[in-house]
């Protein structure tokens, strides 16, 4: 009996590894993803299964965005790669180099589940929607710098109502596209209200943002359904118009944006009005305003004519009033003259009475004014007998006299009496 060779465990493992890798250096395997684990190293560990078997799989760090999108629990995918063995566990596994979702139905299922999750967080609520300004001063566009999309938008804006446009160039499909779109939305929102100063001038804060991409397969449009994009759009303080794919394509960004446009050209149409239509409308308003004013003036004129017919002739009223005024003025002058004459007559009569009643007139009649030595008036005989001397005042002066025949006494004339003499 021939003796069989003896192999070590490692030798057997290496032989099996060579056989498996040689026979399955490149394979495509379809199955449902389960047990997904994303390690801190960036590698993804998962299993592919169907109703009868399970195949362990690993996707090394650095896989493209489509692969990362496809490897999610519950997704039916087609994985490309090779089979190998893992000696540490005595099993075989698949090294996945790329993967795609198997069929549009599976991809739509994934998007529907994500939509439900984000909707539950309120990211699609109408209350969050912001009004698109009627005529924005500045418009921001997030799209690829090459291709027909940006040209279509610029051309449409020029035709309708030219506005300054600021482009943030991004990838619109493939690895890193979703992250760039989200960063662009956040970047425009970080521009201050009064603008961002740069060495090339001031970049104003846009009044509206257009996120646009041309048509493509559902897989090509997946970046616009990524959570990072949806969350960035939902939290934007600047109104956003989404225009991704064709009219029949609906990505999750469309639910989070403030307004969805069927195409990039449609987004430009929703961003600005038609200048000529506005001009025509303003011209129409101007004509209507002029017509309304003319009608109003005519109506007021007609009403004024009706009212003036019942009013007396204004010229006659004024002339009559002037005549009355002249009459009153003449009568007033006559009355003033009469009043002044009567007042003058009364003043003259009073002056004559005052003059006739003066003491000078009395003295002229032969009467005398008797005062004592101090100038006090002596009005009776008893007062005169008590004095040694008196002063008799006549119309032309005072004469001193002695009382009782005492001629030696010399009457004293006071300063007041002297003044009185002077006045007389």
């Amino acid at each position: 009996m021939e003796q069989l060779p003896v192999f070590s465990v490692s030798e057997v493992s290496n032989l099996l590894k060579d056989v498996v890798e040689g026979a399955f250096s490149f394979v495509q395997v379809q199955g449902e993803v389960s047990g997904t684990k994303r390690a801190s190293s960036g590698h993804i560990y998962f299993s592919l299964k169907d109703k009868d078997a399970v195949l362990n799989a690993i996707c090394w760090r650095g896989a493209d965005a489509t692969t990362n999108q496809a490897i999610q629990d519950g997704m039916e995918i087609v994985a490309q790669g090779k089979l190998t063995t893992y000696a540490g566990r005595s099993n075989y596994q698949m090294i996945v180099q790329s993967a795609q979702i198997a069929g549009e139905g599976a991809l739509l299922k994934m998007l529907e589940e994500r939509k439900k999750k984000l909707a539950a967080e309120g990211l699609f609520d109408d209350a969050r929607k912001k009004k698109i300004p009627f005529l924005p001063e500045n418009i921001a566009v997030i799209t690829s710098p090459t291709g027909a999309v940006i040209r279509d938008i610029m051309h449409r804006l020029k035709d309708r109502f030219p506005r300054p446009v600021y482009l943030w160039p991004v990838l619109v499909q493939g690895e890193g596209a979703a992250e760039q779109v989200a960063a662009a939305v956040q970047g425009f929102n970080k521009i201050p209200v009064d603008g961002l100063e740069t060495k090339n001038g001031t970049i104003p804060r846009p009044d509206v943002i257009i996120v646009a991409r041309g048509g493509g397969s559902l897989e090509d449009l997946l970046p616009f359904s990524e959570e990072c994009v949806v969350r960035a759009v939902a939290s934007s303080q600047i109104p956003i118009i989404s225009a991704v794919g064709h009219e029949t394509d609906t990505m999750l960004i469309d639910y989070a944006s403030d307004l969805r446009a069927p195409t990039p050209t449609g987004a430009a149409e929703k961003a600005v009005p038609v200048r000529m239509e506005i001009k025509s409308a303003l011209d129409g308003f101007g004509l209507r305003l002029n017509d309304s004013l003319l009608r109003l003036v005519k109506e007021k004129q007609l009403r004024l004519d009706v009212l003036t017919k019942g009013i007396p002739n204004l010229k006659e009223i004024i002339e009559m009033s002037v005549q009355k005024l002249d009459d009153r003025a003449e009568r007033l002058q006559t009355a003033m003259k009469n009043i002044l004459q009567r007042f003058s007559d009364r003043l003259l009569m009073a002056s004559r009475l005052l003059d006739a009643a003066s003491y000078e007139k009395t003295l002229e009649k032969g009467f005398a004014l008797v005062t004592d030595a101090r100038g006090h008036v002596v009005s009776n005989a008893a007062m005169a007998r008590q004095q040694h001397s008196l002063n008799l005042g006549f119309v032309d002066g005072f004469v001193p006299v002695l009382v009782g025949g005492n001629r030696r006494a010399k009457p004293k004339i006071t300063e007041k009496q002297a003044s009185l003499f002077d006045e007389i």
Side-chain angles (χ1 to χ4, degrees):
M1 183 177 179
E2 183 179 357
Q3 187 175 0
L4 296 176
V6 177
F7 298 99
S8 68
V9 174
S10 296
E11 289 174 337
V12 172
S13 296
N14 289 333
L15 289 172
L16 288 173
K17 181 179 178 67
D18 291 339
V19 172
V20 172
E21 290 183 351
F24 302 97
S25 60
F26 182 80
V27 293
Q28 293 191 106
V29 179
Q30 180 170 340
E32 180 183 337
V33 177
S34 66
T36 304
K37 295 179 182 179
R38 299 179 183 269
S40 58
S41 62
H43 306 324
I44 306 175
Y45 299 92
F46 62 99
S47 297
L48 289 173
K49 67 178 183 178
D50 57 21
K51 63 180 181 178
D52 296 320
V54 177
L55 173 62
N56 292 335
I58 182 172
C59 179
W60 303 123
R61 180 181 61 188
D64 59 33
T66 301
T67 299
N68 284 323
Q69 184 70 39
I71 303 176
Q72 297 188 43
D73 285 352
M75 295 299 297
E76 186 79 14
I77 68 171
V78 175
Q80 295 86 29
K82 66 177 182 178
L83 295 184
T84 186
T85 62
Y86 181 52
R89 293 183 182 175
S90 298
N91 62 3
Y92 62 94
Q93 61 186 11
M94 182 178 183
I95 305 299
V96 176
Q97 297 169 344
S98 62
Q100 297 84 33
I101 297 175
E104 191 172 291
L107 181 56
L108 292 174
K109 178 182 178 182
M110 181 271 293
L111 291 177
E112 185 62 27
E113 291 176 352
R114 182 178 296 171
K115 177 184 174 183
K116 291 180 180 179
K117 171 190 171 184
L118 297 176
E121 296 181 26
L123 300 185
F124 304 152
D125 291 351
D126 290 338
R128 300 173 63 97
K129 307 292 184 181
K130 295 171 288 296
K131 186 178 181 180
I132 306 299
F134 175 72
L135 183 59
E137 290 292 330
N138 303 283
I139 298 175
V141 178
I142 300 174
T143 191
S144 172
T146 61
V149 171
I150 186 61
R151 292 197 300 270
D152 290 345
I153 291 176
M154 296 296 293
H155 180 72
R156 199 59 175 157
L157 290 175
K158 182 179 179 181
D159 287 345
R160 291 174 66 86
F161 208 120
R163 298 280 85 186
V165 175
Y166 296 87
L167 172 66
W168 192 304
V170 296
L171 293 173
V172 292
Q173 72 180 61
E175 184 177 2
E179 289 76 11
Q180 288 188 18
V181 172
V185 172
Q186 295 166 351
F188 277 125
N189 275 270
K190 290 179 181 178
I191 296 177
V193 175
D194 54 355
L196 178 65
E197 296 293 336
T198 69
K199 61 181 181 180
N200 296 322
T202 302
I203 299 177
R205 181 180 174 89
D207 297 314
V208 65
I209 298 174
I210 297 176
V211 181
R213 186 205 189 282
S217 66
L218 190 57
E219 290 81 1
D220 293 337
L221 303 179
L222 278 180
F224 297 92
S225 289
E226 290 287 350
E227 283 194 30
C228 63
V229 172
V230 174
R231 295 185 185 280
V233 170
S235 61
S236 173
Q237 297 301 311
I238 302 173
I240 292 181
I241 302 175
S242 62
V244 177
H246 298 298
E247 186 171 359
T248 56
D249 298 320
T250 302
M251 297 293 103
L252 297 187
I253 187 177
D254 297 324
Y255 297 102
S257 65
D258 300 293
L259 183 64
R260 175 184 180 269
T263 61
T265 301
E269 293 175 353
K270 292 180 180 296
V272 295
V274 179
R275 180 175 53 184
M276 295 308 298
E277 290 181 357
I278 295 177
K279 184 178 182 303
S280 177
L282 290 176
D283 291 342
F285 291 148
L287 291 174
R288 291 171 58 187
L289 179 60
N290 289 335
D291 292 342
S292 298
L293 289 175
L294 288 175
R295 286 197 301 270
L296 179 62
V297 171
K298 289 180 179 178
E299 291 175 0
K300 297 299 182 182
Q301 183 64 49
L302 179 61
R303 180 171 177 79
L304 181 61
D305 292 342
V306 173
L307 292 175
T308 54
K309 289 181 179 179
I311 299 177
N313 187 282
L314 182 60
K315 182 179 179 181
E316 293 179 358
I317 294 176
I318 294 176
E319 289 175 348
M320 292 178 63
S321 298
V322 170
Q323 183 178 3
K324 290 181 179 179
L325 180 62
D326 292 340
D327 181 60
R328 297 294 190 277
E330 183 179 356
R331 293 170 63 183
L332 178 62
Q333 290 179 356
T334 303
M336 288 297 296
K337 289 180 180 179
N338 294 335
I339 292 172
L340 289 175
Q341 184 62 46
R342 288 198 298 270
F343 180 77
S344 178
D345 294 344
R346 290 180 181 179
L347 184 63
L348 179 61
M349 186 184 296
S351 176
R352 289 175 179 174
L353 291 175
L354 181 63
D355 183 63
S358 65
Y359 81 94
E360 288 89 351
K361 292 295 183 180
T362 303
L363 294 179
E364 287 180 356
K365 295 177 181 180
F367 292 95
L369 175 64
V370 182
T371 62
D372 60 15
R374 291 175 297 180
H376 294 159
V377 175
V378 177
S379 58
N380 53 61
M383 291 177 61
R385 293 188 187 97
Q386 295 176 1
Q387 303 297 322
H388 293 285
S389 63
L390 296 171
N391 295 312
L392 300 179
F394 298 97
V395 69
D396 56 349
F398 274 86
V399 175
V401 296
L402 297 176
V403 179
N406 187 3
R407 301 181 180 273
R408 295 179 181 179
K410 186 178 181 179
K412 181 180 181 181
I413 300 175
T414 64
E415 183 178 350
K416 183 176 180 182
Q417 290 172 333
S419 176
L420 182 60
F421 295 154
D422 291 342
E423 291 178 0
I424 296 175

